[in-house]
Amino acid sequence: MKNSIIQVENLTKKFGDFTAVNGVSFTVEKGSIFGFLGPNGAGKTTSIKMLTTLLKPTGGQVLLDGKDPVTDQAGVRRTFGIVFQDPSLDDELTAQENMEFHGVLYKVPPLLRKSRTEELLKVVELWDRRNDLVKQFSGGMKRRLEIARGLLHHPQILFLDEPTVGLDPQTRNHIWNYIRNLNKKEKITVFFTTHYMEEADRVADQVTIVDHGKIIAQGTPAALKKKARAKTLEDAFIRLTGHNLRDEDASNAETMRMMKKMWRR
Amino acid sequence: MSAIYIMWLRQLKRYFRSKPRMIGSLGQPLIFLLAFGFGFGKIYSQSGRGDYLQFLAPGVISMGVLFTGVFSGIEIIWDRQFGFLKETLVAPVPRLTIMIGRTLGGATVAMMQGIVVFALAFLFGFRPQLQALPLALVFMFLIALLFTAFGTALASQLSDMQAFPLIMNFLVMPLFFLSGAMFPLEGLPSGMALVTTLNPLSYGIDGLRASLGMASFYGMGTDFLVLSLCSAFLLVVGGYLFSKIQI
Ligand SMILES: Nc1ncnc2c1ncn2[C@@H]1O[C@H](COP(=O)(O)OP(=O)(O)OP(=O)(O)O)[C@@H](O)[C@H]1O
Ligand SMILES: [Mg+2]
């Protein structure tokens, strides 16, 4: 693929003896929507952290728009925007202040910042609550604000780590329409993870499935369904990754993390 | 530049929105002024050194600045735990800029805390010479900057609050008590003299006293130089450590 904007080669991350990401290779085409799927603990978030300069790889090579996150952190940080899986808002600031803060850090010009903040807060239906402190928001409202904030500047690559988790169907639809529109109009490459397979089926051009830190399938949603002889992507996913529940072999820490996540919701 | 400003502004907003913290951090200086200022006052004046409160007040003001500064720096741990740190770490702004912005914000907050303690001491009868007040503010700011940078550098190495009591009891408390905040630096036993000489806070308090018209031990120029160099050093070290943070 000559027009690839993300190139990952043999990417590996070890935490002590444990290998979270194990020799992963893939490319993402410029302007496409790329779904990175896999069961809990597969290594999706860890991979994204390495792509976005938050974590140093143990091995392998990553290029974002030709820049290496290890050696050219500043260059890489100029290419992407991200919505994290875990919360990353300042609870002591209002919704609007969080947007403003982000806009200044990402050098969005003041006028554009204003108009986009209004547009986005209306999309996620928080415009009326813009002057409330984030700590007074519900879990879903916080999630919506994280997404709105992530869309405030228009980078070349947008990372979305389980963006729609915990959101009601209407909001999810709304947000995906907005993102797809951005992808079409501004040619923003979208790299996302999700556990909602019908969502991945609907929006992704290409899908990569990882499990236990390794890639087990790659292709268009249609191709994957065909390969697994499944009607839906969900069936294909289950067939490819097996039926066993993840917490069976998950480490203690992972189980705790999942419980914490459930508690938060 | 605007990134520094927005980081600075955020620290201030957080401070002013947390009233319990503002009030709570006045408790300790208040106790020191009362218990020591009035408790020891008599012994001190009997030894022919004049009014202890006048001597102690700059030390207690510095204490307010020290604690608030270290605490503001250490706040990064909360940002890490609540996740906000990530937002600043991936921004297309050099991490040194981020670190400087939040350190300046924390230092401003710490200095304001010092001014409040100053006012408190004034209520209790602290009557310094005020001709060189701007100079006193400079020293307060330098102390604030130094110890906020110190807190930031420390916190960039910690992933949770478990080490917090350790830092308070084995670093911040000794810094305060072994600094000349409570006692004059003249004629100390040599071991103690060495410790106070190595403690940068000693120079901060000495400079603050000097700028408020009291006798200086090191000389105001030395005070200024030591504080500036230490601050610059810690900013560089803190900036480096901050830029190496992984999540
Ligand atoms: N800092 C860390 N130290 C040790 N192990 C870690 C660390 N971060 C992640 N792991 C482990 O790496 C594995 C992959 O985690 P990761 O968060 O990448 O999974 P994920 O695919 O994003 O899962 P989920 O769908 O639950 O978000 C897990 O087993 C996790 O326990
Ligand atoms: Mg994840």
Side-chain angles (χ1 to χ4, degrees):
Chain A
M1 257 182 267
K2 58 181 188 303
N3 213 4
S4 56
I5 191 162
I6 304 178
Q7 292 161 295
V8 176
E9 239 337 285
N10 216 2
L11 184 64
T12 301
K13 180 71 199 181
K14 289 186 180 164
F15 296 108
D17 297 335
F18 177 73
T19 309
V21 178
N22 195 352
V24 165
S25 304
F26 59 85
T27 57
V28 178
E29 222 174 308
K30 197 169 195 156
S32 68
I33 301 187
F34 181 89
F36 198 53
L37 311 179
N40 289 138
K44 304 181 296 291
T45 300
T46 307
S47 300
I48 290 181
K49 282 181 179 171
M50 290 189 283
L51 295 184
T52 55
T53 75
L54 279 175
L55 204 57
K56 254 206 192 112
T58 313
Q61 163 100 64
V62 175
L63 288 178
L64 263 78
D65 192 33
K67 298 167 200 103
D68 185 334
V70 178
T71 55
D72 184 10
Q73 301 195 325
V76 168
R77 286 182 195 138
R78 274 192 293 271
T79 63
F80 72 85
I82 182 167
V83 174
F84 296 101
Q85 176 177 0
D86 301 323
S88 68
L89 298 166
D90 187 337
D91 279 12
E92 301 284 338
L93 298 183
T94 66
Q96 178 129 14
E97 282 168 344
N98 267 285
M99 297 292 279
E100 225 169 83
F101 184 89
H102 184 89
V104 172
L105 277 193
Y106 283 80
K107 304 190 180 70
V108 182
L111 279 179
L112 187 62
R113 198 162 78 215
K114 263 211 178 114
S115 62
R116 255 192 217 155
T117 298
E118 181 168 352
E119 180 189 334
L120 282 164
L121 286 183
K122 280 179 176 161
V123 169
V124 298
E125 286 163 33
L126 286 176
W127 181 244
D128 296 336
R129 305 286 305 266
R130 65 186 177 278
N131 290 322
D132 289 355
L133 292 181
V134 171
K135 65 178 170 193
Q136 295 161 355
F137 282 5
S138 76
M141 288 162 73
K142 285 183 189 168
R143 198 64 202 148
R144 287 179 344 215
L145 180 59
E146 298 246 12
I147 296 172
R149 190 184 65 177
L151 299 175
L152 185 59
H153 73 296
H154 290 173
Q156 293 185 64
I157 309 169
L158 190 58
F159 288 98
L160 306 167
D161 198 352
E162 297 189 34
T164 52
V165 76
L167 298 183
D168 57 62
Q170 293 93 322
T171 314
R172 257 159 64 190
N173 243 322
H174 242 89
I175 287 172
W176 272 117
N177 284 339
Y178 191 89
I179 293 172
R180 278 208 281 193
N181 198 27
L182 267 185
N183 164 258
K184 267 205 214 90
K185 269 205 193 132
E186 313 223 3
K187 303 275 174 290
I188 295 178
T189 309
V190 179
F191 182 114
F192 75 100
T193 76
T194 185
H195 290 298
Y196 303 118
M197 289 305 136
E198 85 287 348
E199 197 172 275
D201 198 359
R202 205 147 27 91
V203 302
D205 300 318
Q206 287 284 324
V207 163
T208 286
I209 300 180
V210 284
D211 197 5
H212 300 295
K214 284 190 169 152
I215 292 186
I216 55 169
Q218 261 176 322
T220 62
L224 289 188
K225 279 184 279 189
K226 208 169 153 198
K227 184 180 165 199
R229 291 202 208 97
K231 264 207 216 87
T232 62
L233 191 62
E234 175 143 354
D235 288 341
F237 180 86
I238 291 173
R239 223 162 272 177
L240 289 165
T241 56
H243 286 277
N244 61 321
L245 255 182
R246 277 311 125 174
D247 0 29
E248 257 171 51
D249 54 32
S251 64
N252 231 355
E254 173 68 2
T255 317
M256 292 279 288
R257 205 173 73 91
M258 278 168 54
M259 278 168 57
K260 210 173 84 194
K261 246 161 65 181
M262 269 149 52
W263 184 246
R264 208 188 293 136
R265 261 166 228 156
Chain B
M1 220 31 231
S2 50
I4 292 185
Y5 169 71
I6 201 84
M7 287 302 307
W8 176 83
L9 189 65
R10 166 179 182 255
Q11 294 305 114
L12 261 69
K13 278 184 175 164
R14 286 177 69 91
Y15 179 70
F16 282 113
R17 279 175 195 173
S18 167
K19 298 281 180 299
R21 195 180 131 195
M22 274 168 81
I23 297 164
S25 54
L26 286 180
Q28 205 174 9
L30 199 64
I31 290 173
F32 272 75
L33 282 174
L34 287 175
F36 292 101
F38 295 115
F40 279 154
K42 193 130 185 258
I43 308 175
Y44 191 82
S45 57
Q46 276 167 357
S47 69
R49 289 173 170 275
D51 184 357
Y52 186 50
L53 186 69
Q54 309 303 320
F55 176 82
L56 178 71
V60 175
I61 293 168
S62 305
M63 172 169 101
V65 179
L66 166 74
F67 277 78
T68 313
V70 172
F71 205 78
S72 297
I74 284 188
E75 247 193 328
I76 290 188
I77 300 178
W78 270 277
D79 282 353
R80 192 196 278 259
Q81 289 197 325
F82 288 107
F84 183 75
L85 188 63
K86 295 192 292 271
E87 156 85 353
T88 56
L89 290 183
V90 296
V93 176
R95 285 197 188 168
L96 180 64
T97 311
I98 302 275
M99 192 271 185
I100 287 178
R102 75 174 298 146
T103 304
L104 283 179
T108 308
V109 165
M111 183 173 145
M112 289 191 303
Q113 186 77 26
I115 294 173
V116 175
V117 178
F118 198 133
L120 217 59
F122 195 82
L123 282 181
F124 287 138
F126 177 46
R127 291 291 177 275
Q129 293 173 22
L130 294 176
Q131 300 95 317
L133 190 64
L135 211 56
L137 294 180
V138 168
F139 274 106
M140 277 161 68
F141 185 73
L142 280 175
I143 300 173
L145 190 64
L146 173 57
F147 290 104
T148 311
F150 176 67
T152 313
L154 261 181
S156 64
Q157 297 304 294
L158 304 171
S159 56
D160 55 42
M161 288 308 290
Q162 300 197 6
F164 188 67
L166 216 65
I167 293 169
M168 276 309 178
N169 291 324
F170 286 100
L171 279 171
V172 182
M173 285 299 193
L175 274 172
F176 170 67
F177 281 108
L178 305 175
S179 69
M182 315 270 300
F183 47 77
L185 294 170
E186 293 96 25
L188 290 176
S190 59
M192 191 67 167
L194 179 69
V195 173
T196 50
T197 308
L198 292 177
N199 180 354
L201 184 61
S202 305
Y203 300 85
I205 295 172
D206 192 57
L208 188 58
R209 286 209 176 105
S211 54
L212 291 173
M214 288 165 241
S216 168
F217 184 71
Y218 300 113
M220 221 191 275
T222 312
D223 293 334
F224 184 82
L225 209 66
V226 170
L227 286 176
S228 309
L229 287 178
C230 287
S231 301
F233 174 72
L234 277 175
L235 272 176
V236 171
V237 171
Y240 174 78
L241 294 176
F242 191 72
S243 73
K244 293 286 170 227
I245 292 183
Q246 295 193 43
I247 285 190

